[in-house]
Amino acid sequence: YLNRPAVVRRLLRAGADAALRSEAGKSALQYAKEKGDSACVEAFRKHADVVAGRREATAVGGAGAGGTSSGGASGLAVPDEVVLAAERGDEAEVLAWLDGGGRADATYETGEVSSRTLLMGAA
C-alpha cells in the first residue's frame, strides 16, 4: 500500500470499485488511512464528492449521469508489469493498460495476499 495518489485518481476515474474488500476485509481507503496517506485519502474523498454530485444531478434531472463500471473482478488478473507500474506510481502505464481493455477492478496476488486490486495496492 504505496501512497500513489495519481494512480488512485486514475483508477477511480476508470471505474474502480472503492468498496471492494481484500481477503482481510479491508477497502483501499482503509489501507490508505492505516498508512496515514493523506493524499490518497483526499483522492477518495474528492471522488466520493464527484459521485455524490452525479447522483444528485441524476435525481434532479432524471437523466443518467454517466460514469463507468468495470463490473466484478472475478476471474480477472492484472499482468505483473502493470502491478509494478502501479507500485512505481506510473500513471501513464496504468492508463495505457486500462485504455487497452484492462479492467479497473482486476485482481492479483502478492505474497500471501490474494484478491488485491490495483486500487488497494496504490492507496
Side-chain angles (χ1 to χ4, degrees), residues 32-102:
K33 284 181 177 180
E34 285 178 3
K35 290 287 191 177
D37 295 334
S38 61
C40 286
V41 172
E42 181 67 9
F44 282 104
R45 187 196 63 74
K46 286 183 178 180
H47 178 72
D49 288 349
V50 168
V51 170
R54 286 183 192 149
R55 285 188 193 130
E56 185 175 305
T58 299
V60 171
T68 60
S69 173
S70 60
S74 178
L76 302 174
V78 181
D80 291 342
E81 61 272 11
V82 176
V83 171
L84 293 173
E87 289 176 353
R88 287 190 312 270
D90 187 342
E91 181 183 3
E93 191 168 335
V94 173
L95 178 60
W97 179 72
L98 291 168
D99 286 347

